[in-house]
Amino acid sequence: MPFDAATAHTLHTDHGPLHYYRAGTSGPAVVLLHGAMLDTAPLTWGRTLAALRDTCRLFAPDLPRHGGSRPWHGPTDQEGLEAVLATLLDHWELPRATVVGLSLGGAIAAGFAARHPERVDRLVLIAPGGMEGRRVAQGTTYLLLRAPLLLRLTTALFARAPRLLRATLAASLVDGARNPDFAEITALAEAEARATHAAGELILDDWQIHSYGWRRMRTDLRPLLPGITAPTLVVRGDKDTLVSLATVQEVAQRIPRAELVQVAEAGHLLPRDRPDEFHALLRGFLQKGHAHT
């Protein structure tokens, strides 16, 4: 599917460029935040921008050091990325918006909604990151993340070995290479792998590296969740191997008025695995908010 549903723009800041896509001219303002590693706004949200542009005003940024948002010289930890979201909302002249985040984007969205409740109308968290005290192989992962040579070799490998990247992407999608968007997703991920390597960046985000401590996760947003006041939808694909059902259940329990939905036959990249089901959920959730205004 060609990515022609949106217009591309760039905001130049003191820390570097923030590249983003816009679609739609009427309806509620919805900000879409993608995930980590080789993700970009077109990769996660290409279908969403096309599907919802007739009923929403959509804003989908490339997060710092992704897509067109490089080179970036500002902080990229949790607080730094929340500050980026605030900067973009101000640039878009949006006092309030619905914020939708996948994985890393979900962590940014949740933290921002807790610390700036006056700016978030509604919140959608898709398999959000930053919601655990410990992860499997915590100490081993911590050590691996502090092996810069290994991380650089891995980055170079993905940039120079498209077959490996395609195999990894196929394994991450429920329908594998049979996904109707597989060629598009692969092309976007390959381009991002090459751009990451060319920029001297690592395949893992700083947020991911900094989030791991030796015994416990340094980024654990769970204590903030009760402070979220926006109506919240928590979503997970039932085949997600990165974020467990127990994790999203706890997230939904800690956030007042949160609703939890699991989508059948979907993995971590839910908006691409099951786009029709996801868009129906999102439309229904937004309509609830419109009915109450």
Side-chain angles (χ1 to χ4, degrees), residues 38-40 43 158-159 165-166 169 182-196:
L38 298 180
D39 207 352
T40 60
L43 197 157
F158 274 95
L165 181 53
R166 285 194 289 271
L169 288 169
F182 187 70
E184 179 192 359
I185 294 169
T186 299
L188 290 167
E190 288 176 352
E192 182 64 10
R194 292 191 297 269
T196 300

Side-chain angles (χ1 to χ4, degrees), residues 38-274:
L38 298 180
D39 207 352
T40 60
L43 197 157
T44 293
W45 307 117
R47 278 193 173 269
T48 304
L49 288 163
L52 272 67
R53 60 180 172 175
D54 291 336
T55 55
C56 301
R57 291 174 291 143
L58 300 163
F59 304 80
D62 286 328
L63 295 174
R65 298 183 190 145
H66 291 259
S69 296
R70 54 168 56 99
W72 184 260
H73 306 292
T76 51
D77 57 3
Q78 177 70 28
E79 290 75 15
L81 293 174
E82 288 179 28
V84 166
L85 177 55
T87 296
L88 286 168
L89 288 173
D90 291 343
H91 173 68
W92 295 327
E93 298 182 344
L94 297 176
R96 299 173 62 88
T98 290
V99 184
V100 181
L102 167 72
S103 197
L104 166 61
I108 301 167
F112 185 83
R115 284 187 262 256
H116 304 278
E118 75 285 354
R119 303 209 68 174
V120 180
D121 274 327
R122 300 178 80 74
L123 180 65
V124 181
L125 304 176
I126 310 163
M131 302 294 176
E132 297 168 286
R134 285 181 59 86
R135 301 210 74 191
V136 175
Q138 179 80 31
T140 302
T141 304
Y142 171 82
L143 293 175
L144 291 173
L145 292 176
R146 275 142 188 86
L149 179 59
L150 177 61
L151 292 178
R152 292 199 179 280
L153 287 173
T154 303
T155 304
L157 182 62
F158 274 95
R160 297 171 178 172
R163 287 186 180 180
L164 173 63
L165 181 53
R166 285 194 289 271
T168 303
L169 288 169
S172 71
L173 296 163
V174 168
D175 293 331
R178 298 186 305 277
N179 185 294
D181 295 339
F182 187 70
E184 179 192 359
I185 294 169
T186 299
L188 290 167
E190 288 176 352
E192 182 64 10
R194 292 191 297 269
T196 300
H197 182 53
E201 300 163 354
L202 300 177
I203 194 168
L204 295 179
D205 287 55
D206 288 349
W207 183 95
Q208 293 173 293
I209 296 171
H210 295 158
S211 290
Y212 266 85
W214 168 244
R215 294 186 178 275
R216 298 190 61 80
M217 298 299 291
R218 289 176 176 166
T219 302
D220 182 357
L221 302 172
R222 292 176 299 171
L224 296 178
L225 299 181
I228 293 175
T229 59
T232 301
L233 177 65
V234 183
V235 190
R236 175 185 180 267
D238 69 345
K239 305 296 185 186
D240 193 331
T241 59
L242 297 179
V243 177
S244 70
L245 176 58
T247 296
V248 294
Q249 285 175 330
E250 182 179 2
V251 169
Q253 289 166 359
R254 285 177 177 254
I255 299 175
R257 298 189 294 165
E259 175 186 1
L260 173 61
V261 175
Q262 237 189 161
V263 177
E265 297 301 315
H268 194 61
L269 195 56
L270 193 155
R272 288 291 193 169
D273 262 333
R274 293 292 176 262

